[in-house]
Amino acid sequence: MTYAQLSVDAAHRSVAGRKPVNEDCAGVFLPQDEHYLENKGVALVIADGVSSAEAGKEASETAVARFIEEYYHTPDTWSVAHAGEKILNTVNLRLYRKSHEFTTEGKGYLTTFSSLIIKSQTAHFFHVGDSRVYYLAKKKNGEKPELKQLSRDHTAFIEHNHATLVRAIGMDNRLNIDYGRQPICVGDRFLLTTDGVHDFVDAETLLKFMQSDASTKDICDQIIEHAKASGSDDNISAVVAKIESLPDESLDDYSIKLTRLPFPPDLSIGMKVDGYEVKKVLFASARSQLYLVEDEQSAATYVMKTPSHNYEDDISYIDRFIQEEWIGLRIHNANVVRVIQSNRNKTCLYYLMEYVEGVGLNDWIDANQPPNPKRAITIVKQIAKGLEAFHSNEAIHQDLRPANILITADEKAVIVDFGSVYVAGLAELQRPLEHQGALGTASYSDPLYLMGENPGIKGDVYALATITYEIFTGHLPYGQEVEECRTAFDYDRLRYCDAAGFNPVIPQWFDGALKKGVSFNLEDRYGSIPALVKDLTQPNPIFLRMDVVTEKQASSLVFWKLLSGFWFFTFLVLIYLFSLTNAS
């Protein structure tokens, strides 16, 4: 029996119209790879940058490009709804933060967004704003064709019938997304438009165009030209799709097959999983296993990470394990281990990473005390670049420590684990991450994690400053006692140990930057990784002035101690003389 494939004919077009700049953006992705076609489907996207914003064009282009790119990097085990929601929340938070870089009210990165994912025998749509998604069912005998609007406009009429947008990506740090599903058949059609089309072309006219036997490209062109002729004074965009063939398998059966992947067994040398042969057991713990594997087809070597059977019934653990792969696929940086996108159907739960040969930073620190300052700061700067790659993807590492940083033979630092990563904009938004014990390691994790708070990027700043301190001194900034701390009172009793006390070549300004980086008070700590690195590599005048103040205070203290000693000595002499007088 031949298994039918999904086949969609789709086209898009976007023009500036009468406006000098086109702030609309539209895109279509029709995978040629059979794996993507089966596991991800076809993506149609349209966005309309808000014209009153300074960066509407950048916002619409960012939303379309990132949604298409990141959707095809989500784990195969995620449902379309889950994947779309996660991606759009991270994109929204990214644009929201960029919007607030503008000081003028009402300016920034705002865009409407409508997308359609056609997968298996269902069309999934995501919608925010006043762009539209239309559905035209295949014409049946005796039935009147209807162009059905699947989305609803997120607008409010304030005055004089003027519609005001009430929802958009980048408008708020919490995104309220409309999500829906439409069962489909061969012959069904879809239309996505921006308001430059549907505000000037009525539904009856759009229906006539969509019923045409012309190609999807020609239909797009016809709609665009008709909108122009109808007086459209906005940017004009349209996406048209026709369903040509569908898989035989139902979506429900397909979803169950994907989301119920079994855990792989404990593997040993020589065993094979989906064409990957185990060559070595690299690591095993109560939470996960790492294996060195070789691809039978390409002979390439990878690291396979598998979940632990201890958590086989733990839905939160499984979701976090799958999220690790997704995060890794989104980050492209030389100082972060690369997660490999597999194009094979998985028979069990695992993911692949590049194999990095090197020693753990913890071993490097032990072998290089005291370190060469130039080599040491080079490693620190590389770790910082890796963390910045996480932060630029709205992710926070949360568990940075020397043991999960590898140093290669040419002294390149690579972050190789992200099992505790927190992704802003997802379900955890605006509430602290739930720590069972502590996801991070007490020596390097911000104490606020233990208190049930999420310090965000500043938590990674704390970890990097702590690691930098250890690289240069071989010790921890608050001593080993930090491991025993369990409450805020315990941390209050700790005192920062001057780094120069362990390594006399460390200047006061460098020590001042480290102290600021590991401050327990969030207001005193650096707000970003670049800010910390800048003060570690360039003397900050504030810390240089602290040198002078400290020296003056020390000199003044010595003076007053000597003066007090002199007067005390004089007082004793006077008492002695008076005692002699009284005796005589």
Side-chain angles (χ1 to χ4, degrees), residues 410-429:
D410 58 352
E411 294 203 340
K412 182 174 108 175
V414 182
I415 300 171
V416 295
D417 182 80
F418 25 76
S420 298
V421 170
Y422 168 93
V423 181
L426 306 188
E428 302 94 346
L429 185 63

Side-chain angles (χ1 to χ4, degrees), residues 69-70 73 326-339 385-386 389-390 392-393:
E69 178 185 356
E70 294 185 13
H73 283 161
W326 178 64
I327 292 167
L329 289 168
R330 298 172 71 224
I331 296 175
H332 308 286
N333 184 273
N335 300 114
V336 179
V337 68
R338 185 166 53 94
V339 171
K385 287 180 180 178
F390 281 89
S392 66
N393 282 278

Side-chain angles (χ1 to χ4, degrees), residues 77-257:
T77 48
W78 282 5
S79 67
V80 174
H82 185 63
E85 180 183 5
K86 280 184 175 282
I87 294 167
L88 289 176
N89 272 299
T90 56
V91 170
N92 174 72
L93 195 58
R94 181 187 186 91
L95 295 180
Y96 173 76
R97 287 176 176 170
K98 290 177 77 69
S99 294
H100 283 69
E101 294 174 2
F102 290 87
T103 57
T104 306
E105 186 178 356
K107 305 295 184 181
Y109 290 72
L110 303 176
T111 183
T112 69
F113 183 89
S114 297
S115 66
L116 194 72
I117 300 295
I118 302 171
K119 176 182 173 184
S120 190
Q121 298 181 5
T122 302
H124 306 254
F125 65 89
F126 301 90
H127 172 70
V128 181
D130 62 356
S131 300
R132 290 183 182 176
V133 179
Y134 293 98
Y135 167 64
L136 176 62
K138 181 182 179 181
K139 185 178 180 180
K140 298 178 181 178
N141 293 333
E143 290 187 4
K144 182 180 179 181
E146 176 189 3
L147 187 64
K148 179 182 177 182
Q149 183 179 335
L150 297 180
S151 60
R152 64 187 181 91
D153 297 346
H154 296 144
T155 56
F157 289 91
I158 306 301
E159 57 180 355
H160 306 301
N161 288 326
H162 177 69
T164 301
L165 198 63
V166 295
R167 280 199 227 169
I169 290 183
M171 183 177 287
D172 195 355
N173 63 345
R174 285 180 179 269
L175 181 63
N176 190 1
I177 307 169
D178 284 356
Y179 164 76
R181 304 195 309 176
Q182 174 64 51
I184 54 177
C185 299
V186 173
D188 289 353
R189 302 183 179 194
F190 290 93
L191 170 66
L192 281 66
T193 60
T194 57
D195 55 2
V197 171
H198 53 253
D199 280 358
F200 298 90
V201 183
D202 58 51
E204 185 177 344
T205 303
L206 289 175
L207 174 60
K208 291 179 180 178
F209 285 127
M210 290 298 294
Q211 288 181 294
S212 167
D213 292 330
S215 68
T216 54
K217 180 183 180 302
D218 288 343
I219 294 175
C220 271
D221 291 340
Q222 292 167 9
I223 291 173
I224 298 294
E225 296 307 317
H226 189 84
K228 288 181 181 179
S230 299
S232 178
D233 57 0
D234 204 346
N235 303 143
I236 311 171
S237 303
V239 181
V240 176
K242 297 180 182 178
I243 309 301
E244 296 183 327
S245 67
L246 292 172
D248 299 328
E249 189 177 30
S250 72
L251 177 65
D252 289 339
D253 291 341
Y254 183 75
S255 297
I256 290 172
K257 179 182 73 176

Side-chain angles (χ1 to χ4, degrees), residues 298-347:
S298 65
T301 301
Y302 303 114
V303 173
M304 175 184 287
K305 184 168 184 177
T306 62
S308 169
H309 284 277
N310 295 331
Y311 299 91
E312 206 158 5
D313 297 322
D314 188 332
I315 300 301
S316 296
Y317 170 89
I318 295 171
D319 184 61
R320 178 165 288 279
F321 184 89
I322 293 171
Q323 181 173 280
E324 287 181 38
E325 180 183 14
W326 178 64
I327 292 167
L329 289 168
R330 298 172 71 224
I331 296 175
H332 308 286
N333 184 273
N335 300 114
V336 179
V337 68
R338 185 166 53 94
V339 171
I340 308 301
Q341 178 80 62
S342 176
N343 60 355
R344 303 175 191 173
N345 288 325
K346 295 179 180 179
T347 59

